[in-house]
Amino acid sequence: MKTNMDADKAVLMAAFAKFDVVALAIALGAVLATSLFLATIFLVLKGADPGTDVGNHLRLIGVYLPGYSVSWSGALIGAAYALGLGAVMGFILGVLWNMTHYIYVALIVIRTTWVNLMAD
């Protein structure tokens, strides 16, 4: 009976595999940094009509990210901010995901153990 429980637990752990928290943090940071950089550069290269501002809406990100503007230097500053924020968000998301899956698997194992004890 003991080996059957170990096999069941191994199947559950494989089905609910953990995220690599560091890899998720790096990946999410890289995606957000690249997205903000490309969006800013696109607006800089596109330009605007004389007398109008370039990227009115994207420029508002500067309220939350000091130093950011719709310019070449602003694209680099925004990418650095986005990399950091994305990494923090990815880390928190990975930790919460792993924790909820660990609790879920633990509850399944406890319930299965309880049912097996009651059946005996």
Side-chain angles (χ1 to χ4, degrees), residues 61-99:
I61 294 175
V63 172
Y64 301 105
L65 308 177
Y68 174 77
S69 62
V70 181
S71 64
W72 288 98
S73 62
L76 294 174
I77 292 170
Y81 275 121
L83 179 66
L85 290 172
V88 169
M89 288 173 15
F91 181 81
I92 291 170
L93 179 66
V95 167
L96 290 175
W97 183 274
N98 289 341
M99 184 175 55

Side-chain angles (χ1 to χ4, degrees), residues 109-120:
V109 170
I110 290 169
R111 182 180 181 277
T112 304
T113 305
W114 180 258
V115 168
N116 287 339
L117 287 175
M118 290 295 145
D120 290 337

Side-chain angles (χ1 to χ4, degrees), residues 1-9:
M1 181 78 135
K2 181 77 169 163
T3 57
N4 190 21
M5 288 292 290
D6 291 339
D8 290 344
K9 188 172 181 181

Side-chain angles (χ1 to χ4, degrees), residues 15-87:
F16 297 102
K18 297 186 329 180
F19 275 153
D20 184 355
V21 176
V22 174
L24 182 63
I26 291 170
L28 191 57
V31 167
L32 290 180
T34 303
S35 299
L36 184 58
F37 181 81
L38 290 177
T40 304
I41 294 305
F42 174 76
L43 287 176
V44 168
L45 293 176
K46 179 183 170 191
D49 296 330
T52 60
D53 291 333
V54 176
N56 288 330
H57 298 358
L58 195 60
R59 185 175 39 128
L60 292 175
I61 294 175
V63 172
Y64 301 105
L65 308 177
Y68 174 77
S69 62
V70 181
S71 64
W72 288 98
S73 62
L76 294 174
I77 292 170
Y81 275 121
L83 179 66
L85 290 172

